[in-house]
């Protein structure tokens, strides 16, 4: 069935590819119709809860995720976010006046557009009567944007929400040093020439040393890669295992890209540049090539390298979330339900990246499911070592007993259901935007591969984590 | 005798080190009887790498004992002889400790200089062999690696040799003491400590293999002496003999200034290094083993070893575990002491309330705690985040809110009995039944404070020393009525705060203040006799006191000294006389309260290090001038007048049962009052200097001044029977 479906895509000339993207929805709908019996045979209960409104994701899009410093490098974050929003408008044809609220996630903020959601929405043609706010929760910022929307709908405050995320790592706010800032601010207030001169006389050349935002924990001062390397060592994850996993991610992403499965990607005409149609970080290599790289963080004996880590990425994503009855009333065929979700947090020093291990059992228990009920796993891949350490933790009774107060282990996600279309290692990881990509990948995979439940999970700086159940929308 | 006092921790890092040392220093190893089964060392072979694991049985730390040494040399010989093995890793099986240093008991067991010299020589041989090993050896170190352990693992730098300072691992890497650092791991599939050791071993094995295969080169071209003291440019200068002589001279001068010639070890170390550099390493080694032998036999060595044992003793809770752990602490009074106690409590994770009566006083106290923590951030001992998180354990308040949850209240209000009575009554109205009331007082008898208590069994004295975060001693005072569980709790809290604890019986001035008071009285008399405060300070510091006597009065506070002198003077009468307390009274009335008021015997200014004499004191001193008695006024006599009064009073405290053991008396005097550590404390002093000689001194001064110098009965007994010693 897959071959039949993907066949026409494969043979499309590249230039017209983007134009035909919009036909994906009807096509995939029909596939879902055919797949429906397979889903039904499982006859699982649905996770609808009495007296709580069902929340559905109608559809979602993202800009192509690019290595930072490439085609998006001259943009501002709200430009990218706007591209995702216009893409969503285009894809769903949602009338802009029905959108009640817009929420975006972002991590490294451009101070000029600190509420990037609002700036992007204004430019994207949404109504100026639709309020917007921006949230931040490190790598799970977009997840937070979506679950905030879920909360607003479930509590009856809103019916239609646009949630998304954006990150532009090509440009980061490099600041003057605190001393320099203080001097400049004091100069502003100085009234007389004498005051000004006496302030200027305090200037020292080291004031000019810039302050860079670090991808390091504020609390521990440890960079995330360093922590990932220690985590991998704590779980005895070898360099080879990490390289193998990274290779798997790139190979699967390449395959998905070639087969046109990454249907959430919308083309983006970058001002002054060519239209960008696909992710550019997918680079399947060989184990031999990867083995040559030197460790990037713990030198010279660490195991985390540039090849088995996610790379700095520019990108934006957006999803349309509605109350189920509203979506149906508007004639939409939603893609999936957004069900139970869970946020967790733990020690930011030694368990920084173990969020998925902690969040998974909790969200499953909340939903009354087991790990065997999940048909599509979509986990955020920050580092190969992080994913594999989480696997080992989830597969360990000892860890479950000693650190999670559980009697038995969480259980290992079967690899054949895990990140089948690539992950953050290969597709890229724009911090604020990854969450929506995970949800759309889970929803699209459920439709494509058949199955009822998807599990989205991610770790985030600060030692936090998130997991959410995505349920396929029945036909 | 660095190894004796420095059982420290090499911080949170693990480190490892490729041996290729050029150090000249090695000490205290030994080897004689070969044992059949190995109990201290075992080794396994992984591929072509031998992993040698050090594990002293029945001990928390690995020490360099005879057995360890002989097994070690056996094992190393096997490794060198084996064709299979191409490199080796040395690692400890104890997380947190590589080798802490020489076994002090082993050294103490040596009767003669020759024995020690022999021990040292045999140790040198093995270290020399390690250095010259044809097979690469990687030392994987996690935790304390000191003294001889440092020599096994790393060669020592001059500064470390001289001061015995502990060095954090990241700093050790910068200095080139270690080649690589391995940071500790968090939770994984095994307990973190266990996995960290495994990981350290894995990494070390990779390095050992790499070295054997010549894939990794031990890049360390600068010798330690060079890297540490000199830049590359001056390293060249060191090849010129004249420059070297100048350097030795400078270092020697500095050491002499710091040690006042009271500690023989640093100078001998310089000698040894000099011999090694000038006459070659063989001469250096020979000189080292001889000098080491000489040092172990010195009085200073005995005194410091005694202090080490005493300190170990005072780090135990002889009352056992308390019924209820103290988790919530409340402190009354946010002054210097109260805030200091709060600081050492919050950084150990105790939830602490700091209460004062006014917002100004409370602000000052909270700022003191913050500053104390922030200074650690500046020294990189804490991160700013850890500081904030520790500081959040502190609640500053003006009322008694939250006292209903307190497990212990420590009052540090002004030394005034009626005030203490008032707060005791106020506090007892709000605290739960199990809560302990501890009084931080330096002289007021605890039983008098407890007199107004509804539950005197819960009242105890906890006498801290200022500055609380620096002074290690805590004197705990029990009354007749104090329950055993209350004592257990107080000791447990003190230990948690990192204190060395002596437990004494209640009485005026307890032990420490009581010993100090007669000495202070003598200080006043000496000043009245026209000795200038600077001269007095230099006499006392050259005797081994860390702080000069006049400066000490300024530091303690003249008003406090006056209070104590008056209170104890009333109780003990003439025996505590000597100086005229009028001197202190006049100083207080003029506002010369010491450092805290900016003026005392000296003038103190913010940011000014130099201390000038307070010239306004001249008129006060002139008005109270006494004629000096020439027969007892030589420099040495002045020093001994101070020390013998101190020692006599200490022995009397033991005689009266205030002190339970001489060891506690020595620890209290050295750690709380700055009694010269090289003398080992008043009791060790009597043993080493001789009871008879001490009594002779006292009698000489008694003839000049009277009762204040009359030797107490116990001291006289010791003088009469030369076999009697405080330490057998």
């Amino acid at each position: 069935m897959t071959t039949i479906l993907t066949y026409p895509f494969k043979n499309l000339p590249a230039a017209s590819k983007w134009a035909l993207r919009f036909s994906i929805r009807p096509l995939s709908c029909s596939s879902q119709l055919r797949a429906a019996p397979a889903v039904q045979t499982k006859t699982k209960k649905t996770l609808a809860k009495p007296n709580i409104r069902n929340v559905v994701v109608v559809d979602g899009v993202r800009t192509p995720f690019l290595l930072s410093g490439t085609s998006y490098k001259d943009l501002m974050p709200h430009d990218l976010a706007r591209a995702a929003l216009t893409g969503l408008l285009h894809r769903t044809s949602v009338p802009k006046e029905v959108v009640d609220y817009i929420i975006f996630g972002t991590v490294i903020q451009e101070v000029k557009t600190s509420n990037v959601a609002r700036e992007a929405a204004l430019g994207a043609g949404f109504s100026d009567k639709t309020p917007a706010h921006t949230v931040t929760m490190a790598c799970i910022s977009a997840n937070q944007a979506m679950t905030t929307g879920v909360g607003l709908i479930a509590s009856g405050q809103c019916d239609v929400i646009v949630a998304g995320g954006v990150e532009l790592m090509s440009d980061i706010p490099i600041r003057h040093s605190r001393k320099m800032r203080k001097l400049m601010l004091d100069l502003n207030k100085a009234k007389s020439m004498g005051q000004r001169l006496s302030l200027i006389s305090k200037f020292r050349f080291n004031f000019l040393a810039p302050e860079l935002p670090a991808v390091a924990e504020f609390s521990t001062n440890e960079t995330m890669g360093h922590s990932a390397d220690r985590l991998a060592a704590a779980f005895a994850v070898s360099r080879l295992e990490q390289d193998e996993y990274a290779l798997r991610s790139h190979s699967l992403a390449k395959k998905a890209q070639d087969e046109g499965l990454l249907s959430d990607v919308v083309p983006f005409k970058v001002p002054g540049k060519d239209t960008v149609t696909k992710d550019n970080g997918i680079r399947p290599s060989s184990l031999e090539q990867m083995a040559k790289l030197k460790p990037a963080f713990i030198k010279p004996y660490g195991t985390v390298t540039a090849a088995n880590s996610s790379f700095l990425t520019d990108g934006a994503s957006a999803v349309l979330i509605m109350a189920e009855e509203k979506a149906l009333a508007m004639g939409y065929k939603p893609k999936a339900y957004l069900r139970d979700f869970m946020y967790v947090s733990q020690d930011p020093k030694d368990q920084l990246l173990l969020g998925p291990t902690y969040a998974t059992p909790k969200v499953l228990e909340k939903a009354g499911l087991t790990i065997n009920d999940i048909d599509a796993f979509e986990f955020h891949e920050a580092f190969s070592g992080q994913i594999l350490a989480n696997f080992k933790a989830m597969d360990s009774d000892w860890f479950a007993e000693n650190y999670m107060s559980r009697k038995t282990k969480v259980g290992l996600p079967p690899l054949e259901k895990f990140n089948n279309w690539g992950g953050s290692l290969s597709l890229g990881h724009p911090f604020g935007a990854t969450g929506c990509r995970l949800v759309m990948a889970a929803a699209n995979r459920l439709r494509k591969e058949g199955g009822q439940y998807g599990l989205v999970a991610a770790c985030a700086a600060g030692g936090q984590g998130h997991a959410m159940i995505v349920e396929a929308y029945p036909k | 005798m660095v190894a004796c006092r420095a059982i420290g921790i090499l911080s949170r890092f693990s480190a490892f080190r490729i041996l290729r040392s050029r150090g000249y220093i090695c000490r205290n190893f030994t080897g004689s009887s070969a044992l059949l089964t190995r109990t201290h060392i075992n080794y396994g072979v992984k591929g072509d790498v031998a992993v040698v694991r050090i594990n002293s049985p029945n001990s928390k730390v690995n020490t360099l004992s005879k057995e360890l040494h002989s097994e070690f040399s056996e094992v190393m010989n096997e490794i060198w002889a084996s064709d299979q093995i191409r490199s080796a890793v040395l690692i400890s099986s104890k997380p947190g400790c590589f080798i802490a240093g020489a076994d002090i008991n082993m050294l103490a067991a040596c009767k003669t200089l020759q024995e020690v010299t022999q021990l040292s020589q045999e140790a040198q041989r093995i270290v020399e062999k390690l250095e010259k090993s044809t097979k690469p050896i990687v030392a994987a170190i996690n935790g304390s690696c000191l003294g001889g352990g440092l020599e096994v693992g790393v060669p020592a730098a001059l500064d470390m040799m001289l001061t015995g300072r502990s060095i954090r691992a990241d700093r050790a890497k910068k200095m080139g003491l270690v080649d690589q650092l391995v940071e500790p791991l968090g939770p994984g599939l095994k307990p973190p400590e266990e996995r960290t050791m495994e990981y350290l071993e894995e990494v070390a094995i990779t390095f050992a293999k790499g070295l054997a295969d010549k894939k990794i080169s031990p890049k360390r071209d600068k010798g330690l002496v060079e890297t540490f003291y000199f830049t590359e440019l001056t390293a060249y200068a060191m090849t010129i003999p004249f420059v070297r002589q100048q350097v030795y001279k400078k270092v020697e001068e500095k050491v002499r200034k710091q040690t006042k010639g009271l500690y023989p070890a640093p100078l001998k170390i310089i000698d040894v290094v000099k011999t090694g550099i000038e006459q070659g390493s063989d001469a250096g080694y020979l000189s080292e083993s001889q000098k080491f032998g000489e040092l172990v036999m010195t009085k200073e060595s005995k005194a410091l070893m005694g202090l080490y044992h005493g300190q170990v003793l005072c780090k135990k809770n002889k009352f056992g575990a308390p019924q209820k752990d103290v988790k919530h602490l409340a402190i009354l009074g946010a002054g210097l002491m109260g805030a200091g106690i709060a600081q050492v409590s919050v950084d150990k994770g105790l939830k602490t309330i700091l209460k004062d009566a006014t917002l100004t006083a409370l602000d000052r106290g909270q700022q003191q705690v913050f500053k104390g923590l922030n200074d650690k951030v500046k020294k990189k001992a804490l991160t700013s985040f850890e500081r904030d998180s520790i500081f959040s354990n502190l609640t500053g308040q003006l009322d008694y809110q939250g006292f209903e949850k307190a497990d212990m209240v420590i009052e540090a209000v002004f030394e005034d009995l009626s005030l203490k009575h008032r707060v005791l009554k106020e506090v007892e109205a709000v605290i739960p039944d199990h809560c302990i009331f501890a009084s931080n007082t330096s002289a007021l008898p605890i039983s008098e404070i407890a007199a107004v208590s509804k539950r005197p069994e819960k009242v105890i004295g906890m006498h801290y020393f200022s500055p609380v975060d620096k002074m290690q001693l805590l004197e705990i005072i029990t009354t007749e009525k104090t329950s055993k569980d209350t004592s257990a709790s107080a000791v447990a809290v003190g230990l948690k705060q990192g204190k060395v604890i002596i437990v004494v019986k209640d009485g005026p001035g307890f032990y420490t203040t009581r010993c100090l008071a007669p000495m202070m009285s003598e200080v006043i008399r000496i000043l009245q006799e026209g000795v200038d405060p600077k001269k007095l300070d230099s006499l006392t510091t050259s005797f081994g006191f860390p702080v000069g006597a006049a400066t000490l009065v300024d530091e303690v506070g003249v008003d406090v000294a006056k209070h104590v002198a008056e209170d104890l003077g009333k109780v003990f009468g003439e025996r505590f006389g000597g100086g005229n307390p009028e001197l202190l009274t006049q100083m207080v009335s003029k506002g010369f309260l010491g450092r805290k008021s900016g003026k005392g015997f000296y003038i103190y200014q913010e940011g000014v290090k130099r201390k000038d004499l307070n010239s306004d004191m001249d008129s006060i001193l002139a008005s109270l001038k006494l004629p000096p008695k020439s027969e007892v006024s030589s420099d040495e006599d002045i020093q001994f007048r101070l020390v013998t009064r101190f020692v006599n009073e200490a022995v009397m405290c033991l005689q009266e049962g205030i002190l339970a053991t001489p060891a506690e008396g020595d620890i209290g005097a050295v750690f709380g009052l700055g009694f010269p550590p090289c003398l080992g404390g008043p009791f060790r002093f009597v043993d080493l200097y001789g009871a008879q000689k001490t009594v002779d001194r006292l009698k000489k001064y008694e003839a000049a001044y009277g009762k204040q110098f009359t030797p107490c009965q116990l001291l006289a007994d010791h003088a009469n029977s030369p076999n009697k010693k405080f330490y057998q």
Side-chain angles (χ1 to χ4, degrees), chain B residues 109-249:
Chain B
C110 291
K111 294 272 183 302
T112 63
L113 191 153
Q114 283 73 20
E115 258 181 274
V116 186
T117 306
Q118 199 196 343
L119 287 181
S120 171
Q121 276 170 344
E122 284 172 32
Q124 288 172 344
R125 252 170 254 147
I126 188 113
V127 174
E128 198 183 356
K129 262 170 120 176
L130 279 180
E131 281 174 24
K132 293 187 176 150
S133 169
T134 46
K135 297 178 180 178
I137 298 170
V138 174
I141 303 160
N142 176 2
S144 35
C145 171
L146 290 151
L150 191 64
E151 288 145 26
V152 176
V154 299
L158 204 50
D159 186 47
M160 287 172 65
M161 292 186 251
L162 298 177
T163 61
R165 171 161 85 82
S166 308
I167 294 179
R168 288 206 320 272
D170 49 351
R171 183 130 169 70
K173 168 121 194 266
K174 270 199 194 134
M175 287 163 61
L177 285 176
V178 296
D179 294 300
Q180 293 297 338
L181 297 180
V182 174
E183 281 190 45
L185 302 178
L189 300 176
K190 286 176 183 171
E193 301 79 27
E194 198 182 319
R195 175 62 195 145
T196 301
M197 288 305 282
E198 255 182 40
Y199 180 53
L200 179 64
E201 190 179 311
E202 286 167 19
V203 176
I205 289 174
T206 323
F207 268 84
K209 276 207 173 103
L211 283 168
D213 300 342
K214 312 259 185 248
K215 279 187 192 154
I216 304 170
S217 64
K219 265 191 241 149
R220 216 173 340 97
D221 34 24
K222 279 176 277 174
L224 265 160
V225 177
E226 285 97 319
T227 47
F228 198 65
Y229 266 88
F230 314 102
T231 63
E232 300 210 14
L233 196 74
T234 49
Y236 164 74
M238 275 299 278
T239 58
I240 306 165
F242 170 74
V243 177
R244 285 206 302 270
Q245 294 307 331
Q246 292 303 310
V247 171
Y248 298 141
K249 227 176 101 189

Side-chain angles (χ1 to χ4, degrees), chain B residues 26 410 449 581 602 610 718:
Chain B
C26 46
I410 301 176
I449 296 173
Y602 295 96
R610 198 170 50 97
H718 273 245

Side-chain angles (χ1 to χ4, degrees), chain B residues 533-534 537-538 541 546-555 594-595 598 600-605 607-614:
Chain B
K534 271 202 171 155
D537 273 355
S538 98
T541 51
V547 178
T551 308
L552 184 65
V553 178
D554 277 0
E555 293 289 338
R595 177 181 284 277
F601 289 109
Y602 295 96
I603 294 173
Y604 301 89
Q605 280 167 303
V608 180
K609 268 219 147 167
R610 198 170 50 97
K611 279 189 307 186
D612 287 323
L613 280 176
N614 178 6

